[in-house]
């Protein structure tokens, strides 16, 4: 719409989504809709967009532009090396949980120095020390881990305002999909890239915010219209998948959530059949019940699709 109806250049639109697969599909759809198969588009995940920027600008934060990228295995290997070099037992100091802690610190904008300063016990202090060494070793190897593709981009824009201005001046429109799943550092990156024009368009559902365990911050969507005071909110309440009895049950349940914007889902699909209730003792019992339901439907002639 922006390109075809409003005449906006594709180079002036930045779109974020959460998986490479979704980004690929979005690119294909836009190219097909515009009948331009080779059209160059800024559509990608936060990590892919950060990588694209850092490949051009990493020298401004002390790395060369041909930096290596450490995947999950490389990161784990490095953490284990650091633990062993301190003669610690890997069973007492599990590399996986330490790597997760480092990742959470990075995504919450906590520096190694701050993690050390805020340590409340001996164990936390030791993990903070590992974090400090880990960051130092990555720098020595001219390498970024997966988290760095966002955190170092934010660092770049913070340390070099003119570079931030160049990118935020390029992107007249910033679009974000699945906004309820964004975390602290992603929100900072979005804010930096949208700082020049303020044309920030986000799509999300606070009732579908289920990734807090992965660092997502539902407050990003709950407080959006407070942070950006001239926000226009458009509620998408029509549901195209379910019948109204299902939606009424969903509405009644979700109303009990303490933090939500609130909406009332409805459908043109009619009233539908009553919702069946099943009380399961645990997750395995629940899975078994779902399995039995599927088998029963197949016996009654339903397609697997």
């Amino acid at each position: 719409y922006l390109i075809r109806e409003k005449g906006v250049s594709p180079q002036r639109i930045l779109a974020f989504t959460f998986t490479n697969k979704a980004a690929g599909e979005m690119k294909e759809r836009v190219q097909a809709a515009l009948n331009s198969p080779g059209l160059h588009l800024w559509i990608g995940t936060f990590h892919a967009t950060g990588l694209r920027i850092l490949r051009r600008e990493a020298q401004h934060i002390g790395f060369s532009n041909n930096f290596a990228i450490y995947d999950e295995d490389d990161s784990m290997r490095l953490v284990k090396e650091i633990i062993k070099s301190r003669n610690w037992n890997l069973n007492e100091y599990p590399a996986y949980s330490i790597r997760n802690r480092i990742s959470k610190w990075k995504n919450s904008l906590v520096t190694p120095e701050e993690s050390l300063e805020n340590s409340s016990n001996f164990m936390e202090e030791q993990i903070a020390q590992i974090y400090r060494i880990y960051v130092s070793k990555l720098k020595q190897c001219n390498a970024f881990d997966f988290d760095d593709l966002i955190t170092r981009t934010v660092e770049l824009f913070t340390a070099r305002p003119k570079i931030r201005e160049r990118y935020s001046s390029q992107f007249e429109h910033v679009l974000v999909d699945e906004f309820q799943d964004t975390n602290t550092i992603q929100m900072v990156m979005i804010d930096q890239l949208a700082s020049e024009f303020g044309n920030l368009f986000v799509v999300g559902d606070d009732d579908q915010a289920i990734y807090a365990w992965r660092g997502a911050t539902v407050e990003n969507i709950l407080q959006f219209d407070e942070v950006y005071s001239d926000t226009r909110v458009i509620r998408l309440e029509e549901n195209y998948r379910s019948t109204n009895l299902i939606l009424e049950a969903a509405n009644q349940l979700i109303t009990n959530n303490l933090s939500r914007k609130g909406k009332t889902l409805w459908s043109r699909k009619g009233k539908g059949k009553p919702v069946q209730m099943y009380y399961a003792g645990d997750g395995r019992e629940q899975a078994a019940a779902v399995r039995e339901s599927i088998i029963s439907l197949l016996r009654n002639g339903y397609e697997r699709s």
Side-chain angles (χ1 to χ4, degrees):
Y1 173 77
L2 287 171
I3 295 166
R4 194 159 52 192
E5 305 297 327
K6 294 294 183 182
V8 179
S9 162
Q11 287 299 295
R12 307 214 68 187
I13 302 167
L14 173 62
F16 287 114
T17 189
F18 270 80
T19 66
N20 289 320
K21 185 172 184 284
E25 283 183 17
M26 286 164 81
K27 279 180 187 173
E28 285 170 14
R29 287 185 193 184
V30 173
Q31 288 166 346
L34 297 169
N35 198 23
S36 304
L39 189 63
H40 192 65
L41 298 161
W42 280 83
I43 298 175
T45 63
F46 288 95
H47 294 94
T49 303
L51 173 60
R52 197 166 169 182
I53 293 167
L54 289 168
R55 281 288 183 220
R56 299 175 174 187
E57 316 289 354
Q59 76 273 15
H60 296 291
I61 51 169
F63 290 81
S64 68
N65 289 5
N66 65 342
F67 55 82
I69 300 170
Y70 277 26
D71 63 16
E72 195 66 35
D73 290 341
D74 297 324
S75 294
M76 286 291 288
R77 204 173 296 118
L78 180 54
V79 170
K80 284 177 182 175
E81 279 173 21
I82 297 166
I83 294 168
K84 286 175 183 173
S85 72
R86 297 174 78 87
N87 294 318
W88 292 341
N89 187 326
L90 279 168
N91 292 326
E92 287 179 46
Y93 295 88
Y96 180 75
S97 59
I98 291 173
R99 175 70 190 88
N100 278 354
R101 187 61 183 274
I102 290 171
S103 179
K104 280 182 180 172
W105 272 327
K106 285 190 175 192
N107 284 294
S108 300
L109 289 172
V110 176
T111 64
E113 293 71 30
E114 287 168 339
S115 70
L116 202 52
E117 205 175 292
N118 297 329
S119 299
S120 58
N121 56 51
F122 178 76
M123 185 69 162
E124 275 192 9
E125 193 179 304
Q126 298 309 305
I127 296 170
Q129 289 283 9
I130 292 171
Y131 179 25
R132 182 181 58 78
I133 298 165
Y134 176 82
V135 169
S136 169
K137 293 236 180 232
L138 281 176
K139 184 80 184 287
Q140 286 170 24
C141 297
N142 189 42
F144 291 149
D145 68 12
F146 204 52
D147 294 317
D148 286 332
L149 299 178
I150 301 175
T151 59
R152 292 292 191 182
T153 305
V154 167
E155 180 192 326
L156 167 75
F157 289 154
T158 305
R160 303 284 179 153
K162 288 201 180 304
I163 295 174
R164 175 189 58 75
E165 284 168 23
R166 176 154 42 88
Y167 282 94
S168 63
S169 297
Q170 176 183 336
F171 299 123
E172 191 180 344
H173 297 272
V174 178
L175 321 176
V176 188
D177 191 23
E178 301 289 4
F179 187 67
Q180 75 280 352
D181 295 335
T182 53
N183 63 22
T184 303
I185 195 81
Q186 288 163 345
M187 191 62 236
V188 175
M189 185 176 172
I190 291 165
D191 198 51
Q192 288 174 328
L193 287 162
S195 59
E196 184 68 24
F197 292 99
N199 289 330
L200 178 54
F201 180 81
V202 306
V203 181
D205 181 359
D206 51 320
D207 292 334
Q208 293 188 53
I210 59 171
Y211 287 114
W213 59 274
R214 209 169 61 185
T217 310
V218 71
E219 284 73 25
N220 287 347
I221 195 166
L222 293 175
Q223 297 168 5
F224 188 86
D225 52 353
E226 295 166 26
V227 175
Y228 302 96
S229 55
D230 55 349
T231 295
R232 180 179 169 212
V233 178
I234 301 163
R235 280 184 167 77
L236 305 176
E237 296 181 314
E238 182 176 0
N239 183 290
Y240 299 92
R241 190 175 289 166
S242 303
T243 56
N244 281 289
L245 279 175
I246 290 171
L247 296 176
E248 281 171 29
N251 286 330
Q252 290 291 329
L253 281 170
I254 208 74
T255 300
N256 297 298
N257 275 16
L258 296 176
S259 299
R260 63 189 295 263
K261 287 290 187 185
K263 59 181 170 296
T264 305
L265 301 175
W266 63 277
S267 170
R268 296 176 205 264
K269 282 182 166 282
K271 192 173 180 182
K273 294 178 183 176
V275 174
Q276 294 179 32
M277 296 289 287
Y278 173 77
Y279 294 90
D282 57 25
R284 296 184 79 84
E285 195 180 310
Q286 180 186 9
V290 172
R291 177 179 174 275
E292 289 306 316
S293 297
I294 292 168
I295 289 168
S296 171
L297 289 166
L298 290 171
R299 284 191 189 124
N300 287 320
Y302 282 86
E303 295 291 320
R304 289 182 185 271
S305 58

